[in-house]
Amino acid sequence: MNFRTLGIVVVAALVVVAVAAGGLWAFGRLSFLDSYGSQYDYSVRISADEPVSNVTVLVPLPVSDGSSAVGDAVESREYLLPAGWGYAVAETEYGPMLRLRADEIPADPTYYRSVVENDRLVRWERIPASEYSRNDSDTLRVEHDAIDLSADVRVNQSIDTLAPEGTEPLFEPRENARLVPCDWPSEGDDTRCYDYESMLFVQYDGPATTNVSVSVELRGANSWWVGGWNYNEYVDHVAAYDLPADRQGWVVADGELRTGVGNYPRNPPQ
């Protein structure tokens, strides 16, 4: 084979490699864009180590520009709750909060049957305990040893998980914020961690020996699929654990904010 022919073969091979590499890049980019999604997840848990009644708790909502889209989502998803439990967004001296009320914790279990329309689960319908079967996947038993609520809100734009302050929803109030070292495994080149103080309201009837714990968390995350699921997120968390019975009303709670968790692709959707 002469040098001219060899050169042609080499160039052809390079073209094939370049085309293949370009095709793989384009496929990966298409997969990235098609799978990319952004979402806020909000959760609340309230528990007591002894039975309590007439429970009222106010917890922070994630707020941006004075309003809370997550609060609206929570209000619209009141289901799988026993009679005498409820929640609503309330305006307080510390801004909008989620007010939760329960006649008692723990309450008796409740039972539900799935309602399917057009091959889709549309709701869970309350049923008597006698109609529940642990071997029937269409029925559900829900324990109520604690108040657990959650909501998720999908958005059509990328969430700023590196620097959410001032651009993304965060819990209010937040006082005495300070940068602190991150605990493993959240520590990374982009991760930043902050402590701050927030407020909760707790009121109930119960024994003087009761301890109540309250926690509320917000995750703002972007996720996508390229050779596996990838993500980045910020996490805002407020909690007051083992509050004794003599600490009722407004109480100071511990706040933690972690930003820049995960990995960050180039040129994400805006």
Side-chain angles (χ1 to χ4, degrees):
M1 181 181 296
N2 59 40
F3 285 111
R4 184 172 182 274
T5 303
L6 179 60
I8 293 173
V9 171
V10 171
V11 170
L14 290 174
V15 169
V16 170
V17 170
V19 170
L24 289 173
W25 179 88
F27 178 79
R29 182 65 180 174
L30 183 61
S31 175
F32 171 68
L33 294 175
D34 283 348
S35 63
Y36 195 94
S38 301
Q39 181 169 309
Y40 302 105
D41 291 286
Y42 176 76
S43 61
V44 182
R45 181 173 176 82
I46 302 163
S47 61
D49 60 4
E50 296 185 79
V52 294
S53 60
N54 298 323
V55 181
T56 299
V57 176
L58 289 154
V59 296
L61 282 166
V63 174
S64 180
D65 295 328
S67 63
S68 178
V70 172
D72 295 339
V74 176
E75 282 193 290
S76 68
R77 295 180 60 177
E78 185 169 345
Y79 62 97
L80 304 187
L81 295 181
W85 287 28
Y87 53 87
V89 175
E91 291 296 330
T92 75
E93 59 189 288
Y94 299 106
M97 289 196 169
L98 188 68
R99 181 177 57 220
L100 303 103
R101 288 178 170 155
D103 286 350
E104 59 176 341
I105 306 175
D108 293 332
T110 51
Y111 303 87
Y112 302 85
R113 183 181 304 280
S114 62
V115 177
V116 177
E117 297 177 359
N118 299 321
D119 298 323
R120 293 185 60 188
L121 174 65
V122 294
R123 67 181 183 278
W124 290 93
E125 186 175 75
R126 184 83 172 264
I127 59 174
S130 59
E131 296 183 17
Y132 167 76
S133 171
R134 61 184 302 175
N135 297 318
D136 183 356
S137 61
D138 290 331
T139 62
L140 178 69
R141 173 189 170 112
V142 180
E143 300 290 346
H144 299 294
D145 57 344
I147 298 176
D148 284 294
L149 289 177
S150 62
D152 55 79
V153 176
R154 294 188 64 85
V155 292
N156 295 322
Q157 61 184 29
S158 188
I159 295 172
D160 185 354
T161 62
L162 277 172
E165 300 92 336
T167 60
E168 303 294 344
L170 292 172
F171 291 141
E172 297 288 348
R174 48 196 319 112
E175 300 291 338
N176 302 320
R178 61 192 182 98
L179 183 66
V180 296
C182 293
D183 294 331
W184 186 92
S186 295
E187 188 171 2
D189 291 342
D190 295 313
T191 307
R192 299 290 182 272
C193 298
Y194 305 85
D195 283 351
Y196 63 95
E197 294 177 351
S198 192
M199 300 296 293
L200 300 168
F201 180 88
V202 180
Q203 190 173 64
Y204 59 90
D205 296 330
T209 53
T210 301
N211 292 300
V212 170
S213 295
V214 182
S215 65
V216 55
E217 183 172 274
L218 171 73
R219 291 177 179 266
N222 307 299
S223 61
W224 63 94
W225 175 275
V226 176
W229 280 109
N230 300 269
Y231 79 101
N232 57 65
E233 68 179 8
Y234 74 91
V235 182
D236 204 3
H237 184 263
V238 170
Y241 295 112
D242 297 326
L243 289 170
D246 60 357
R247 286 189 64 192
Q248 296 196 38
W250 288 107
V251 297
V252 177
D254 296 325
E256 300 176 339
L257 173 65
R258 297 196 310 274
T259 67
V261 180
N263 55 78
Y264 288 84
R266 294 183 179 180
N267 303 319
Q270 298 302 311

